[in-house]
Amino acid sequence: MTTNSDIPDALLAALRDARHVCVLTGAGVSAESGVPTFREAQDGLWAKYRAEELATPEAFLADPVLIWRWYRWRREIVADAEPNAGHRAIAALAERVPKLTLITQNVDNLHQRAGSRDVIEFHGNIFEDRCFADGSLQAGDDSTAVPTCTECGSNLRPGVVWFGEAIPEQALHDSCTAAADCDVFLSVGTSSLVYPAAGLADLARQNDATVVEINPNPTQHAASFDFCLAGNSGVILPELVNSLSL
Ligand code: OAD
């Protein structure tokens, strides 16, 4: 494991030779856009709110009004946020390598707003509304405390993956396929604590990819990465893309 904020030549060489680059992002990539992360001590969402009281199907059944109020608050934060240099650098990197697969745990749509295409939304999208009964995508209605399904009358729920719920099948399949096929795997702005997303780097490593962690706070898995770039993604990712063209 190499830890520094400069981009190692060996990593640049691996990126230049790569047929396929896979990028996994977490809340940290949106931190510089003012979107709170989940686990950071002071202002992480889970430091202030109990995940099990807000991000589970049981919590929704118990108090859908509270859950909708919370998710509408988060939607406002995200809607007011702008993609940052880290989001834009990933979109630029996709133009620089033969193939790039972007998997995000974020539900904030900021990668798409930065120009990234075919983003795999591993934990769904906060701006989608789905029928609580059958999960079908529905046109929500912000005028009521809890919108209902026009098909069956059930409550609608935010289109995000809650604890205890499965990852959308296609997203899981496409992510595992990409991780197993890539030559370079970048794990950016994630604490690597939530599975199955946190297992994708292992899958890439098992298939001989060069695995890289970009995080100002090296995670508990840092030792298993080939390179750990300790710093903010909004600084390191543009530096990495610029260094590629040198
Ligand atoms: P976490 O809040 O667990 O971790 C955010 C990570 O980003 C931490 O390791 C920080 O050190 C790092 N970080 C902070 N600022 C950064 C910056 N400017 N640049 C790069 N990294 C930075 O968020 P996730 O790992 O995304 O799931 O959490 C995974 C999942 O747990 C989320 O998708 C959500 C949550 O519960 C569900 O709700 C299903």
Side-chain angles (χ1 to χ4, degrees):
M1 171 184 73
T2 303
T3 298
N4 59 19
S5 59
D6 296 329
I7 315 295
D9 292 340
L11 172 53
L12 291 173
L15 279 166
R16 289 192 184 105
D17 296 345
R19 266 171 326 105
H20 181 188
V21 174
C22 186
V23 181
L24 171 71
T25 65
V29 82
S30 295
E32 292 154 85
S33 296
V35 179
T37 65
F38 290 92
R39 289 177 185 80
E40 287 193 277
Q42 297 317 316
D43 49 17
L45 286 174
W46 299 152
K48 292 183 187 160
Y49 308 98
R50 292 163 51 80
E52 56 279 7
E53 285 169 12
L54 290 161
T56 64
E58 296 74 24
F60 184 76
L61 283 170
D63 191 344
V65 173
L66 171 70
I67 305 302
W68 266 110
R69 198 178 310 135
W70 193 64
Y71 276 91
R72 284 181 175 146
W73 168 72
R74 286 184 59 198
R75 280 181 177 177
E76 279 165 32
I77 291 174
V78 168
D80 294 345
E82 290 300 326
N84 63 58
H87 297 108
R88 292 191 293 275
I90 293 171
L93 182 60
E95 308 303 322
R96 299 295 316 284
V97 297
K99 180 178 179 184
L100 185 140
T101 302
L102 174 55
I103 306 161
T104 188
Q105 297 170 85
N106 302 343
V107 296
D108 59 26
N109 229 32
L110 290 175
H111 283 300
Q112 293 91 332
R113 289 173 54 197
S116 286
R117 294 184 301 279
D118 308 323
V119 179
I120 299 176
E121 297 180 311
F122 208 74
H123 290 158
N125 187 309
I126 200 168
F127 293 104
E128 288 178 353
D129 296 326
R130 290 183 176 276
C131 172
F132 188 74
D134 67 8
S136 60
L137 202 52
Q138 298 287 338
D141 161 4
D142 274 349
S143 66
T144 59
V146 177
T148 53
C149 177
T150 52
E151 311 283 327
C152 71
S154 300
N155 284 342
L156 296 185
R157 38 107 24 114
V160 299
V161 174
W162 281 331
F163 288 98
E165 294 188 316
I167 302 299
E169 219 175 304
Q170 195 63 47
L172 184 61
H173 172 269
D174 296 348
S175 300
C176 292
T177 304
D181 175 68
C182 69
D183 303 299
V184 177
F185 184 95
L186 304 179
S187 179
V188 184
T190 180
S191 56
S192 299
L193 292 171
V194 177
Y195 285 77
L200 293 170
D202 299 329
L203 192 52
R205 187 179 303 106
Q206 286 152 18
N207 288 276
D208 303 325
T210 298
V211 289
V212 182
E213 180 177 272
I214 299 175
N215 194 319
N217 311 300
T219 68
Q220 61 184 24
H221 303 286
S224 62
F225 283 85
D226 300 302
F227 299 96
C228 280
L229 306 183
N232 289 346
S233 50
V235 174
I236 290 186
L237 288 169
E239 201 181 315
L240 186 146
V241 174
N242 296 341
S243 306
L244 266 182
S245 46
L246 296 179

